Amino acid sequence: MKKQDVLISGKAKTVYSTEDPDKLIMHFRNDTSAFDGEKIEQLDRKGMVNNRVNAFIMQKLEQAGIPTQFEKLLSDDEVLVKRLDMIPVECVVRNIAAGSIVRRLGLDDGMELNPPTFEFFLKNDALHDPMINDFHIRTFGWASDDEVARMKELTFKVNDILSKLFRDAGLLLVDYKLEFGRDKDVVTLGDEFSPDGCRLWDAKTREKLDKDRFRQGLGGVVEAYEEVARRLGVELA
Ligand code: TMP
Ligand code: ASP
């Protein structure tokens, strides 16, 4: 399968059409962005690590019954995926308080959230991904009520599967963001799952092993992502 036209060039990935109208190629670049694209840097090896980790996670989720867009790895930094009609909302589940919820609700960083909580955000950098609710999604027609229910159900199912997977690797899945799209009428997990879009802490020391290292200028960003891959047993190039 060969790349044709650039369909979307995002902050960290580029999506290409292929000769098959139902399949796309996603290229994981080394670009790393934070604060809605305000801070951008090239981090050597990041595209490869995220592509490999994403493929590993997506296959685990698929095996556990989550429909995903993953088809197959094509190269170190490219993956073949199903073409989805993307729903422009981000689904976030939080097991531990960190990031924006700490600021918004004045919580103690690191406090356990039991039961885990769920938030929707609108995918819109210019508006800084504002938090939205089910009624906004209905009023503005971003998704149907059935799709909203299914996105929540799948996002929590992913939490059960991945919290255990990471726990077995000595990692705490603090929070994460998922994006869904429609494959015909089937709500399907799209985008990526990598340390760029979740928070992962060492279970013992609570050391950050995710993009917060980049956001907070802690250094050792790709080294931390590689450590996550190593603990999961993901083979790297
Ligand atoms: P937040 O604490 O900034 O709201 O982010 C919650 C989680 O979702 C965190 O793991 C980062 C991820 N996330 C993204 O990857 N992209 C986004 O645009 C947003 C809003 C969150
Ligand atoms: N992914 C978003 C950005 O690049 C938000 C973030 O991860 O901080 O700005």
Side-chain angles (χ1 to χ4, degrees), residues 9-12 29 31-41 90 92 94 100 103-104 121-131 177 179 196 199 211-212 214-216:
S9 189
K11 295 190 294 293
R29 306 196 315 269
D31 298 274
T32 312
S33 87
F35 314 118
D36 306 312
E38 257 176 54
K39 173 174 176 173
I40 300 183
E41 278 174 36
E90 306 187 332
V92 170
R94 301 176 190 270
S100 72
R103 296 190 292 274
R104 266 184 284 122
F121 295 89
L122 180 65
K123 192 173 167 69
N124 185 322
D125 278 341
L127 298 176
H128 304 292
D129 293 349
M131 187 153 79
K177 180 266 297 174
E179 295 179 29
D196 266 1
R199 289 191 172 91
K211 197 158 85 173
D212 270 349
F214 177 73
R215 295 189 189 97
Q216 299 173 13

Side-chain angles (χ1 to χ4, degrees), residues 4 15 38 74 116 127 130 141 171 186 195 217:
Q4 290 184 339
V15 179
E38 257 176 54
L74 295 177
L127 298 176
L171 297 164
V186 181

Side-chain angles (χ1 to χ4, degrees), residues 37-79:
E38 257 176 54
K39 173 174 176 173
I40 300 183
E41 278 174 36
Q42 299 271 317
L43 299 179
D44 205 30
R45 289 173 65 79
K46 196 209 63 156
M48 178 276 295
V49 177
N50 278 2
N51 186 36
R52 298 285 179 109
V53 169
N54 175 64
F56 177 87
I57 300 276
M58 289 293 168
Q59 288 173 91
K60 290 282 180 200
L61 293 175
E62 195 79 54
Q63 285 160 17
I66 306 283
T68 79
Q69 75 173 158
F70 178 84
E71 289 277 310
K72 69 170 180 176
L73 268 180
L74 295 177
S75 70
D76 280 352
D77 55 9
E78 291 166 321
V79 62

